[in-house]
Amino acid sequence: MAEVTAICRFCHATCGLVATLEDGRITRIIGDLDNPMYRGYSCVKGRNYHAFHDSPQRLLRPQRRRTDGSFEPVSADLALGEVAARTQDILHRHGPRSVAMYGGTFSHFCPAGVMLREAWMDAIGSPMRFSNATIDQPGKPISMALHGKWGAGPQDFTDSDVCLLVGANPLVSMWGGIPSFNPAQRLHEARKRGLKLIVIDPRRTETARKADLHLQCLPGQDVPLLAAMLQVIFTEGLQDRDFVAEETAGAAELAAAVAPFTPERVAAQAGVAAEDIRAAARLFARGPRGNATSGTGPSMAPHGVLMDYLVLALNTVCGRWVKAGERVPNRGVLFRQFSGVARAEKPRAATGFGEALRVRGLTDTAAGLPTAALADEILTPGDGQVKALFVIGGNPLLSWPNQAKTRRALESLELLVVVDPVLSATARHAHYVIAPRFGFESPAITFGNEGITVYGLSIGFPEPYAQYQPTLIEPPAGSEVLEDWRIFYELGRYMGLPLAFRGQPFDMQTPPTTDALLEQFVARSRVPLAEIKQHPHGALFPDPKPLAEPKPADWPHRLQLAAPAMIAELAAVAADIATAATARDPSRLLLVSRREHARYNSVAHDLPALKKRLAYNPAHLNPADAARLGIIDGAVVEIESGAGCIRAIAHLAPDVREGVVSIAHGFEPASTAALVDDEHGYEPLSGLPRMSAVPVVVRAATAEPARGLA
Ligand SMILES: Nc1nc2c(c(=O)[nH]1)N[C@H]1C(S)=C(S)[C@@H](COP(=O)(O)OP(=O)(O)OC[C@H]3O[C@@H](n4cnc5c(=O)[nH]c(N)nc54)[C@H](O)[C@@H]3O)O[C@H]1N2
Ligand SMILES: Nc1nc2c(c(=O)[nH]1)N[C@H]1C(S)=C(S)[C@@H](COP(=O)(O)OP(=O)(O)OC[C@H]3O[C@@H](n4cnc5c(=O)[nH]c(N)nc54)[C@H](O)[C@@H]3O)O[C@H]1N2
Ligand code: SF4
Ligand SMILES: [Mo]
């Protein structure tokens, strides 16, 4: 029996763990008290991650679908050889654009996988690379491109006086606003030293319960709410005048554009008191340090890009970026996240470049190609039609909008290859499912939390932290599983393709090791991987130059407070308020998404420890709405949108605002993907459909269908 340190990969938070090894298997997992970043934190998912490795649901070898829809295990050689031949045939007949790749949430955790699948896509020449980022919060990178990125990064939570969370619940989601590394403890310590927390959320979430001010708004009203906060800041002169004058352009236009959004005009429609909007604006502007971050809720509601743009504007108007001479919390250990210079970086394109999609006028974006349009790219005949799809670590049938269309698209493909440890809802439609070696069976580095800084302002390690974990266990005996990278390396070999990373060719005779790939991936890191490996509990690697440098005297770039597309959209929203065109239909509730503590998206729902905590996907609604609709706790309800209808079990939840129903995504059979309309009302820049604040009819189900739901 031995105790070893580990990096959790059940979610993006990459907690530092301690695992007990017995006879080559992990038998117990706890948080690592000696880890300087996580300080002993772990959650129920991480503590059961080993059970996923040994799960009876796990696929231990590649599967090939028979004509009757059942699967047969085949050797990796046979599966990859056939996949290579079929791909080659499709490429030959239809060209490179006919082969698309979708990298889901679990495709990003292993850099070696990213390297080889990108190399393979480069080699076949296909631009059709999609990811979950564009069905998540694409407004973040897009708005950042429109607004500009600050070279020294945002002010740090650790020395913040105020934190504003717009539709995020980091105490459960570990995502943004409050650093995702033991966030409850971090929030507790920050509040003890006086931090003020403001939460805007239709639900009194675990995080909102700790807030000094909670605006329990209606969903989909964040643009008017944030515009009203800016209106208060401008009219009361609460902005950081020096920063605005020196570093920004367009402040006067923005002030004019938000002028119509007085708290009084916004209050009724947003469902909050005008005084609370004013109080939130003043509390946020008083700072003096802190920042505002948004989560998925408002990002998925209408005007999601504009919403994120206003979050950036709020920060900028209040000067919430690290100034010259101040400490940059973390410029990166494995990656360089920020230049460390207190300046607006050179602008980059937000949209309108790269591969043009054939549907809805969408293009590549700063967040990537719009995944919401991929089903139509598969279904729309003609030149460039997608015929083959590779899905890595994702579950389109439960995550893409318009589930019925997604199903049709998956079924119509000439070739669907899914890399997944289980026969997921999507994998059941695949021609080949390749079972991966994953988690503790591979080495890992904490690179992800350095790389996602454009997502939410406070995402990423707030100190220069890094950890490495070697391979801890082998896959179960008798299995034939391949690491993600190896799959694409072998496909490259079968197809006779030379593969390369950053111009450097891979040796196609002798396969590399995962460790060698990791070395290559972080070759330009500030701290050599060899040094990081010396610290099994992870460590802080202080930056020898931690202070933000001043910008050169002739630096031309500024943060943009009045991007034309955003100002035009604000005017349209203002006009809507004026005409009350957005008035709510009282017969409908507004559906919002949520994250459940004992679940991560659609992953490993069968693990006994998680199932015990949450056996099905409840639809949470306010008792007053339930009474009005004649729904009792535990009753089966139908939730119907313009796009589809699902059944779920009602939970009466006083923490959910009246007029709202709150339900997680990624579940079967109650999958909210069935309720999303991908063709109407989508965000025009990102292509993201309306996935929050979705108007739905909720009613008690007539027949007795509880079976299958719980
Ligand atoms: N335990 C767990 N953690 C997870 C996940 C999981 O499934 N389980 N999923 C991971 C993923 S993929 C992501 S992207 C992150 C997401 O992380 P978060 O964005 O923090 O996710 P949620 O917890 O769903 O919080 C979104 C909040 O927005 C609110 N909301 C909904 N609509 C609106 C709106 O229009 N306006 C406002 N102001 N609020 C609104 C909801 O009530 C909810 O509380 O979490 C990650 N972490
Ligand atoms: N209606 C609606 N739709 C949504 C959302 C919403 O709130 N509402 N949220 C959106 C968001 S934020 C996101 S991020 C997306 C998520 O969309 P996806 O990333 O497409 O879906 P996941 O459920 O995360 O799928 C993860 C898959 O990876 C597999 N997996 C787990 N571990 C590994 C591994 O180590 N290797 C490999 N290869 N596979 C692994 C799991 O078995 C699972 O099948 O969904 C989006 N869709
Ligand atoms: S929050 Fe839980 S699932 Fe996520 S990395 Fe930490 S222990 Fe793992
Ligand atoms: Mo996500």
Side-chain angles (χ1 to χ4, degrees), residues 586-607:
S587 70
R588 310 231 155 179
L589 300 185
L590 294 171
L591 179 132
V592 298
S593 197
R594 68 195 280 132
R595 266 72 196 158
E596 299 281 7
H597 184 71
R599 286 288 188 274
Y600 194 83
N601 296 357
S602 72
V603 183
H605 285 199
D606 285 323
L607 289 190

Side-chain angles (χ1 to χ4, degrees), residues 285-308:
R286 188 171 74 205
R289 295 179 73 82
N291 64 53
T293 310
S294 75
T296 47
S299 303
M300 292 175 177
H303 308 289
V305 176
L306 176 57
M307 185 284 304
D308 267 317

Side-chain angles (χ1 to χ4, degrees), residues 316-339:
T316 296
V317 161
C318 295
R320 296 301 161 73
W321 305 99
V322 172
K323 318 268 168 67
E326 293 180 353
R327 190 180 59 88
V328 182
N330 182 13
R331 278 196 299 168
V333 178
L334 293 163
F335 279 113
R336 198 171 166 96
Q337 307 175 55
F338 301 112
S339 65

Side-chain angles (χ1 to χ4, degrees), residues 232-421:
V232 172
I233 288 168
F234 281 123
T235 50
E236 298 188 3
L238 306 177
Q239 67 272 43
D240 181 338
R241 288 175 192 280
D242 293 345
F243 186 81
V244 169
E246 179 64 24
E247 301 294 352
T248 74
E253 282 160 271
L254 177 66
V258 298
F261 295 91
T262 62
E264 281 68 23
R265 293 180 81 194
V266 165
Q269 147 167 1
V272 294
E275 257 335 287
D276 284 347
I277 303 175
R278 230 174 231 113
R282 289 173 184 156
L283 188 57
F284 182 75
R286 188 171 74 205
R289 295 179 73 82
N291 64 53
T293 310
S294 75
T296 47
S299 303
M300 292 175 177
H303 308 289
V305 176
L306 176 57
M307 185 284 304
D308 267 317
Y309 189 80
L310 293 181
V311 169
L312 288 171
L314 198 54
N315 285 301
T316 296
V317 161
C318 295
R320 296 301 161 73
W321 305 99
V322 172
K323 318 268 168 67
E326 293 180 353
R327 190 180 59 88
V328 182
N330 182 13
R331 278 196 299 168
V333 178
L334 293 163
F335 279 113
R336 198 171 166 96
Q337 307 175 55
F338 301 112
S339 65
V341 183
R343 66 177 182 206
E345 299 290 14
K346 202 168 146 232
R348 60 175 292 207
T351 58
F353 57 89
E355 184 67 17
L357 295 188
R358 297 176 305 146
V359 290
R360 281 169 242 149
L362 296 168
T363 64
D364 204 352
T365 74
L369 283 170
T371 293
L374 185 44
D376 274 326
E377 283 286 351
I378 295 168
L379 289 167
T380 308
D383 231 22
Q385 183 177 12
V386 172
K387 301 282 186 180
L389 176 67
F390 288 75
V391 173
I392 327 297
N395 203 350
L397 197 62
L398 301 185
S399 66
W400 292 3
N402 193 340
Q403 188 173 47
K405 185 190 279 182
T406 303
R407 185 177 286 113
R408 269 190 286 127
L410 297 177
E411 284 172 353
S412 75
L413 284 161
E414 281 189 30
L415 177 63
L416 174 61
V417 180
V418 174
V419 181
D420 205 294

